[in-house]
Amino acid sequence: MTFGPRFAPGYRPYVAKKSNTGLIVAVSIIGIVAVVGGLIAAVALTGGNSRHVADAGYSSAYPTETDSATTSEETTETTSSTEGTTTRETTSGRETPTSQTPSGPHSVAKTGDNPLFASPNFGLQNVSCSLSRWATDQASVTRFFQSGLTCLDAMWSKALGGADLPFESPKLAVPRSLSESSTPCGSGGTTTGVTPFYCPSNNTIYMPMDRIEIDVWGNHPGPYLSILAHEYGHHVQNMAGISDAYGEQRYDAGADSAVGLELSRRMELEAQCFSGMFLGSASVSGGSVDKNIYNEAWNAQDRGDDYARNGKRDHGSAKHNISWWQHGATTNRSQQCNTWTASSGDVS
């Protein structure tokens, strides 16, 4: 089989912006209603050992009428700016602090026109990864995923910073089974209950031992690393603000409507492309991600809605799961992973 070029052609590194007029501090009074989407991605068995469902859909806490309902208490607001502190005084005479816009980079609730895709030169630095040795016991699996997370952080923090987007490292949980963990995202919104997932509510990637298909992949680390990189792709979407925009759009369209399901496929196939970007970039850096690991990951992307147990087409066909991953691996450009501007036929 032809694996395609392994060269990841460059990147645009983070460059700290210079201020022309000194430090500008902007303080504004805002009311924030947070709509937190739950992202999940996975690899689930569907009967045979060679057919898989990658990712099991997107779970979102969509806004309800109560989210925007006003309270019956009438208030009068007074604002003071003494020593930079802003307060709100109610009719009861109590003063409560108001929310303030945080300084520094902030996420932008946009999909196709997100700053992450602003330049055709944005990509991942070719960081040399130092992975812990893979073995199938829980302690070794945890060390392997944690070392992979360290390398993912090193690459994506630069890419997000270069686009003036915030970065925070996600947490990692590797329980023997999900029943050992309490998560605000439940089982990740999956219908099968056998899939890893990313939970934005607590910024955690869950990789339960009974959900990563050790019986299928055995001692070949490439597939596991690509799964981790896919889940991390959802974390990148969350940091950039893509997740928020997607959640609103899917809610407006109807989660299981034709439009809603297509939005879900765009979300998942983008995470596939981000996973490919990471493996492609790391594989040319002289570290632990060598040709064997890269080729194992390349050949492990035959997954998607073709093998879904519930018949729901929310992740894309196997063909497109393969093609978007390989596209990311061979281009290493975030703009090339912008599924939101792709034709419907390319995300079916």
Side-chain angles (χ1 to χ4, degrees):
M1 179 178 180
T2 301
F3 295 110
R6 297 177 65 249
F7 178 65
Y11 55 89
R12 179 168 180 172
Y14 171 77
V15 178
K17 294 184 176 180
K18 294 182 179 180
S19 173
N20 295 324
T21 59
L23 181 63
I24 300 174
V25 180
V27 180
S28 59
I29 304 172
I30 60 173
I32 300 176
V33 177
V35 179
V36 180
L39 298 176
I40 57 150
V43 181
L45 285 176
T46 61
N49 285 341
S50 62
R51 298 300 187 185
H52 310 277
V53 178
D55 320 319
Y58 179 86
S59 176
S60 176
Y62 296 114
T64 63
E65 292 183 12
T66 57
D67 289 329
S68 59
T70 57
T71 61
S72 59
E73 179 184 8
E74 295 183 359
T75 63
T76 59
E77 298 181 6
T78 60
T79 303
S80 61
S81 56
T82 305
E83 299 298 324
T85 301
T86 304
T87 61
R88 174 178 296 168
E89 182 177 350
T90 68
T91 53
S92 62
R94 294 177 299 172
E95 290 187 353
T96 58
T98 62
S99 299
Q100 296 181 349
T101 303
S103 61
H106 59 279
S107 61
V108 178
K110 295 183 178 181
T111 51
D113 54 347
N114 192 276
L116 188 63
F117 310 122
S119 170
N121 297 319
F122 284 161
L124 297 179
Q125 288 192 12
N126 301 141
V127 173
S128 178
C129 297
S130 180
L131 298 178
S132 179
R133 185 182 66 87
W134 172 266
T136 57
D137 62 281
Q138 187 178 17
S140 296
V141 169
T142 301
R143 286 192 295 268
F144 176 83
F145 284 143
Q146 188 59 62
S147 65
L149 202 65
T150 298
C151 196
L152 282 156
D153 282 350
M155 290 195 190
W156 280 109
S157 62
K158 302 294 187 185
L160 289 165
D164 199 29
L165 293 166
F167 173 78
E168 177 185 352
S169 179
K171 295 183 284 293
L172 174 70
V174 189
R176 284 188 295 270
S177 66
L178 190 65
S179 61
E180 296 182 1
S181 299
S182 175
T183 161
C185 292
S187 63
T190 69
T191 56
T192 60
V194 291
T195 56
F197 62 94
Y198 168 70
C199 179
S201 298
N202 61 357
N203 191 32
T204 301
I205 295 174
Y206 289 88
M207 304 289 286
M209 293 285 291
D210 62 344
R211 294 186 174 204
I212 57 175
E213 295 188 309
I214 291 176
D215 57 334
V216 175
W217 306 118
N219 288 316
H220 301 283
Y224 306 109
L225 188 61
S226 71
I227 296 169
L228 178 69
H230 177 111
E231 302 306 334
Y232 198 101
H234 287 311
H235 173 66
V236 171
Q237 292 167 326
N238 191 38
M239 291 288 98
I242 294 170
S243 303
D244 286 340
Y246 158 74
E248 293 287 348
Q249 290 173 21
R250 192 175 179 192
Y251 171 76
D252 291 341
D256 291 332
S257 68
V259 173
L261 292 174
E262 180 175 306
L263 288 168
S264 178
R265 294 194 296 271
R266 292 181 187 277
M267 191 76 164
E268 295 296 334
L269 291 171
E270 184 173 79
Q272 275 289 91
C273 195
F274 287 165
S275 174
M277 281 179 63
F278 169 72
L279 268 294
S281 183
S283 68
V284 297
S285 304
S288 301
V289 184
D290 57 16
K291 179 179 179 180
N292 288 331
I293 289 179
Y294 176 78
N295 287 346
E296 287 172 359
W298 183 284
N299 286 312
Q301 307 309 317
D302 183 18
R303 55 187 67 163
D305 296 335
D306 297 3
Y307 316 123
R309 293 177 177 177
N310 59 8
K312 186 179 293 187
R313 303 199 64 83
D314 55 1
H315 280 71
S317 66
K319 174 184 176 181
H320 287 136
N321 271 271
I322 294 169
S323 63
W324 278 104
W325 191 94
Q326 294 179 354
H327 189 58
T330 55
T331 63
N332 187 24
R333 291 293 187 275
S334 56
Q335 195 178 88
Q336 292 292 316
C337 290
N338 189 354
T339 57
W340 309 100
T341 58
S343 68
S344 294
D346 286 335
V347 293
S348 61

